Amino acid sequence: GGGGGGGGGGGGGGGGGGGARVLCEMPALSSRRERVRKEGLIALTADYVRQRSEKLAVETQFRVQNYTVPLHRPAEFSLSAVYGFGRQRAKRLAAEVGLHGAYPLNRMRESQRSYIRRALAAACVNYDDPAQAAGAALQKEVSLNIKRLKEIRCYRGIRHELRLPSRGQRTKGNARTRRRMGPLN
């Protein structure tokens, strides 16, 4: 059983109820001086080191689907790394959590950051509403629209098939980029 102060008990031996026996309670994170005064000199357990490194580790980015969102830039620029989130939509999302102006994501509260993460993740799997979609969901919607244009053999669909500009740009001297694009468009 329980109780008792200072000495951390030794080897094995039975004891109460079943399950793994904890030999030494891990102290809460505190300054080294306080820990030494309260607990005496103790070895740093692997759990303590992991807990401390997790607390000190500074997150520099997070991932949503296959997009990496940097945290050191303002919201309107870093959120635009996700397909379908431009500057305006990113500003709107930042305003929902109460951020205005050039405020980097790593300086906001964790609750604000988690709200943004959840909103991005929800938008990336929103296959039902194209207006709210982002990421893979939006890319799928766009490719289905292009496929539909090709199937009905309209002018825009034919231009997509031939890999030529579909919005009226001239092709005599330019459109080199569009002609180089892959077969998906």
Side-chain angles (χ1 to χ4, degrees):
R21 183 171 173 219
V22 177
L23 294 178
C24 180
E25 291 276 326
M26 186 172 72
L29 281 177
S30 61
S31 72
R32 186 172 187 276
R33 184 175 293 136
E34 289 176 30
R35 210 173 59 244
V36 169
R37 189 169 21 121
K38 285 182 184 175
E39 310 289 336
L41 284 174
I42 59 171
L44 296 179
T45 62
D47 290 336
Y48 176 81
V49 171
R50 189 178 340 102
Q51 182 182 1
R52 185 147 185 221
S53 66
E54 285 173 3
K55 195 141 185 132
L56 295 176
V58 177
E59 197 178 19
T60 59
Q61 61 193 17
F62 67 88
R63 291 184 62 82
V64 176
Q65 279 191 348
N66 57 344
Y67 303 103
T68 302
V69 178
L71 295 177
H72 65 279
R73 300 170 67 198
E76 68 176 288
F77 301 111
S78 60
L79 296 183
S80 62
V82 178
Y83 182 81
F85 268 84
R87 287 177 62 179
Q88 289 302 315
R89 191 171 176 190
K91 274 187 197 176
R92 206 174 320 123
L93 181 60
E96 285 179 25
V97 295
L99 294 177
H100 303 282
Y103 198 77
L105 292 177
N106 60 3
R107 286 184 42 212
M108 66 176 63
R109 291 192 301 272
E110 185 57 40
S111 60
Q112 293 170 317
R113 226 179 310 175
S114 65
Y115 178 88
I116 287 177
R117 267 197 193 117
R118 283 195 308 271
L120 286 174
C124 286
V125 295
N126 189 356
Y127 288 93
D128 299 330
D129 185 12
Q132 299 299 316
L138 184 59
Q139 285 175 326
K140 182 177 181 180
E141 181 71 25
V142 168
S143 66
L144 287 174
N145 286 341
I146 292 173
K147 184 178 177 186
R148 179 181 52 83
L149 292 172
K150 289 178 183 177
E151 284 174 359
I152 63 174
R153 305 294 296 162
C154 69
Y155 179 79
R156 283 173 53 205
I158 293 169
R159 300 296 281 184
H160 274 291
E161 280 181 3
L162 297 175
R163 284 193 260 161
L164 290 169
S166 59
R167 295 185 179 179
Q169 297 94 326
R170 59 180 286 125
T171 57
K172 181 178 178 183
N174 292 332
R176 189 80 62 219
T177 306
R178 182 66 177 99
R179 284 182 278 174
R180 256 191 234 125
M181 287 177 73
L184 293 177
N185 291 322

